[in-house]
Amino acid sequence: MDVNALPICPVETTLTLISDKWKVLILRELLTGTKRFGALKKSIAGVSHKVLTAQLRQMEDSGLLVRTVYPEVPPRVEYTLSELGYSLSPILEAMRSWGEAYQARTSR
């Protein structure tokens, strides 16, 4: 992502990087460790192959994850959060906590 194209507001910058539903779910899955494409697709219900590929590429371009291709036949590709990606962990934890509290409140 072009640093000059980022919004001035820090909150808007964060939203620009992770605003898509799929990106947040990809982050959730990769917080537990390295995953292959197929494992990500299986664990994120409803995401299409095309959309997952596009989201992973955008996240790699933003520096949130690292894509490693192993020279095997067939090629093995793994995705791992970068240090920058892992730094989003407190945000996802806060989202999880808030979601749990909301579910508990609305299920009464």
Side-chain angles (χ1 to χ4, degrees):
M1 170 166 281
D2 181 12
V3 176
N4 296 324
L6 290 175
I8 295 171
C9 172
V11 173
E12 192 175 348
T13 296
T14 304
L15 285 173
T16 298
L17 293 172
I18 65 167
S19 63
D20 189 277
K21 165 187 168 180
W22 304 117
K23 288 179 183 172
V24 173
L25 297 178
I26 292 166
L27 287 167
R28 178 197 68 191
E29 293 304 314
L30 291 178
L31 278 171
T32 62
T34 300
K35 302 273 189 317
R36 292 175 72 174
F37 184 91
L40 285 170
K41 180 138 178 22
K42 188 181 287 188
S43 64
I44 303 173
V47 68
S48 71
H49 185 96
K50 180 180 177 180
V51 169
L52 181 58
T53 298
Q55 298 297 296
L56 288 168
R57 285 185 183 151
Q58 288 174 12
M59 293 173 75
E60 182 182 14
D61 290 344
S62 298
L64 298 177
L65 61 83
V66 176
R67 178 178 182 260
T68 305
V69 181
Y70 295 92
E72 302 172 353
V73 178
R76 177 171 48 114
V77 179
E78 293 182 339
Y79 297 91
T80 306
L81 287 181
S82 65
E83 186 176 331
L84 182 63
Y86 275 113
S87 72
L88 289 164
S89 179
I91 294 170
L92 269 68
E93 180 59 31
M95 290 172 72
R96 184 191 63 76
S97 295
W98 188 91
E100 287 174 348
Y102 181 81
Q103 288 174 336
R105 182 178 180 194
T106 58
S107 66
R108 294 179 193 171

